[in-house]
Amino acid sequence: MPPVETLIAFAVATAVFAYIPGPALLYTAAQTLARGRQAGFMAALGIHVGCYVHVLAATFGLSAIFRHVPEAYLALKIAGALYLVWLGIGLLRAGPEAGLPKVAMKSPRRAFMESIAVEVLNPKVALFFVAFLPQFVDPAASLPVWAQFLVLGTIVNLAFSSADIVTVIAASAMVRRLGRSERAIGFVKKIGGGVMIALGVRLAADRT
């Protein structure tokens, strides 16, 4: 593995990237506000699972395709943006009755599946791993380069997920303070839907 000083720099950089508020944390908060604490945790788990697709792609060099084929990057980015907007519109149209137990039982599973899709359809995550991980890989180490990619990528993913969990706890505490009235439930659902739509528009408009 890389020298200790390199690993320390990796740990610091990972913590900074994980805990600075960004689209992933906003998305997790939106799911929690709209569907509750359990759905928020399932959304965080879905993002975690989906992120391993990008970790594996970076490990085996597949993410580099986005650097050399801009059309592929653009197509995946637009697909991800449209999916986020579609999810947001669905939450805006859902009334307070979506908080009833029968529907709520389905929401965590749905949040999990939707979150996997959102993460996989975000090419910026793929490019992040391609740009970030090689800085901390040591080709001269006894551990193969692909294994170093896999280990470091897993650590990054776990760090990001820890930040998502903190976000879920904070957002669910906010929901509890708002109370359980139908008006409050409808309000937080609209906030969650609005955040998802804003994230979709931001992803589509981002030219980086």
Side-chain angles (χ1 to χ4, degrees):
M1 292 296 287
V4 174
E5 57 271 19
T6 301
L7 292 177
I8 292 175
F10 169 76
V12 171
T14 298
V16 169
F17 279 120
Y19 281 88
I20 286 182
L25 295 185
L26 289 175
Y27 171 82
T28 307
Q31 284 281 10
T32 306
L33 292 174
R35 290 172 168 163
R37 183 170 181 168
Q38 186 179 1
F41 282 129
M42 293 303 289
L45 179 60
I47 292 174
H48 183 79
V49 171
C51 190
Y52 280 118
V53 173
H54 296 297
V55 172
L56 291 173
T59 298
F60 297 106
L62 299 178
S63 294
I65 294 174
F66 291 127
R67 282 184 170 180
H68 303 294
V69 186
E71 294 80 7
Y73 173 85
L74 180 61
L76 192 61
K77 183 176 77 167
I78 295 301
L82 290 175
Y83 187 59
L84 274 172
V85 170
W86 180 73
L87 291 178
I89 292 174
L91 289 177
L92 288 178
R93 295 178 62 186
E97 67 276 3
L100 293 175
K102 183 177 179 181
V103 179
M105 289 176 64
K106 297 181 180 179
S107 293
R109 288 197 303 269
R110 186 176 301 169
F112 174 70
M113 298 306 298
E114 288 174 354
S115 300
I116 292 176
V118 166
E119 184 72 2
V120 170
L121 289 173
N122 188 354
K124 292 181 72 67
V125 179
L127 291 182
F128 167 78
F129 279 108
V130 169
F132 182 67
L133 295 184
Q135 301 178 51
F136 305 98
V137 169
D138 182 8
S142 58
L143 195 65
V145 169
W146 68 266
Q148 293 182 55
F149 263 94
L150 193 58
V151 170
L152 295 176
T154 299
I155 293 172
V156 170
N157 196 12
L158 289 170
F160 282 14
S161 292
S162 70
D164 289 335
I165 290 172
V166 171
T167 301
V168 171
I169 294 172
S172 63
M174 174 180 151
V175 171
R176 282 198 302 272
R177 285 178 188 156
L178 286 174
R180 303 302 298 172
S181 69
E182 287 192 358
R183 179 175 294 183
I185 292 173
F187 175 69
V188 295
K189 284 182 183 297
K190 284 182 172 26
I191 292 178
V195 169
M196 287 194 194
I197 292 174
L199 289 174
V201 172
R202 177 185 172 183
L203 180 60
D206 193 349
R207 297 185 179 182
T208 59

